[in-house]
Amino acid sequence: MEIRIGDLAKRSGCEVVTIRYYEKEGLLPKPARSGGNFRLYSDVHIERLLFIRHCRSLDMTLSEIRILLGLRDNPAQDCGDVNALLDVHIRQTEERVEALLQLKRHLLSLREKCSGARRIEACGILQGLSDCDHPGCNA
């Protein structure tokens, strides 16, 4: 089966510009060309693009995806490198979750500083934002 980029975009739920970018980055193999020089994609492109999209939905970087695709393209290889890559990604995710929880705690602390309608000059939230007694303040 050979389809044009617009059909590939519809089937994969991916924007045309993103497909071209993935091609440029080497994540998708170069498509065949028609006599009119249109890109012609196959089932291989659809499947690979769906794999990339699934990885992106897990917040994997393009470099992580590139590594995974390289490993996937060598199916006889041991999958230890896949496990190691995912372990690193999990640790990074845990760090981001902790940072977001810290952010939430800070926002809740700010919110407690102002419980009702007041004049702006008495707003505890704005005063709290002016203070530099929280993590991440660079003053």
Side-chain angles (χ1 to χ4, degrees):
M1 171 189 64
E2 292 184 332
I3 58 173
R4 290 188 181 180
I5 198 166
D7 290 330
L8 178 62
K10 287 177 190 168
R11 289 180 186 217
S12 66
C14 199
E15 298 288 330
V16 168
V17 66
T18 304
I19 294 169
R20 288 187 179 132
Y21 178 74
Y22 289 162
E23 276 181 44
K24 187 180 101 177
E25 290 296 311
L27 298 174
L28 286 175
K30 296 286 183 199
R33 294 282 183 160
S34 70
N37 206 28
F38 290 105
R39 291 175 171 99
L40 298 175
Y41 297 91
S42 68
D43 290 335
V44 170
H45 292 95
I46 295 170
E47 189 278 326
R48 195 164 176 108
L49 190 52
L50 291 174
F51 179 88
I52 293 168
R53 285 184 43 91
H54 189 189
C55 290
R56 293 294 293 145
S57 76
L58 298 172
D59 205 33
M60 292 184 180
T61 65
L62 293 184
S63 62
E64 288 172 323
I65 296 168
R66 187 174 287 107
I67 292 167
L68 290 173
L69 287 169
L71 292 167
R72 201 176 81 141
D73 290 342
N74 295 295
Q77 210 173 307
D78 181 275
C79 70
D81 290 340
V82 175
N83 291 325
L85 185 144
L86 197 61
D87 289 343
V88 168
H89 191 69
I90 290 167
R91 279 193 301 279
Q92 291 169 340
T93 302
E94 288 169 343
E95 290 169 5
R96 287 177 36 218
V97 166
E98 183 52 42
L100 286 171
L101 288 172
Q102 184 176 351
L103 172 63
K104 180 183 178 184
R105 288 189 294 271
H106 182 74
L107 291 170
L108 289 171
S109 173
L110 279 172
R111 183 61 185 96
E112 289 174 2
K113 294 179 185 277
C114 191
S115 59
R118 300 179 184 181
R119 293 175 54 94
I120 289 294
E121 63 193 29
C123 179
I125 294 171
L126 293 176
Q127 290 171 0
L129 288 169
S130 296
D131 294 339
C132 205
D133 63 350
H134 60 84
C137 185
N138 295 325

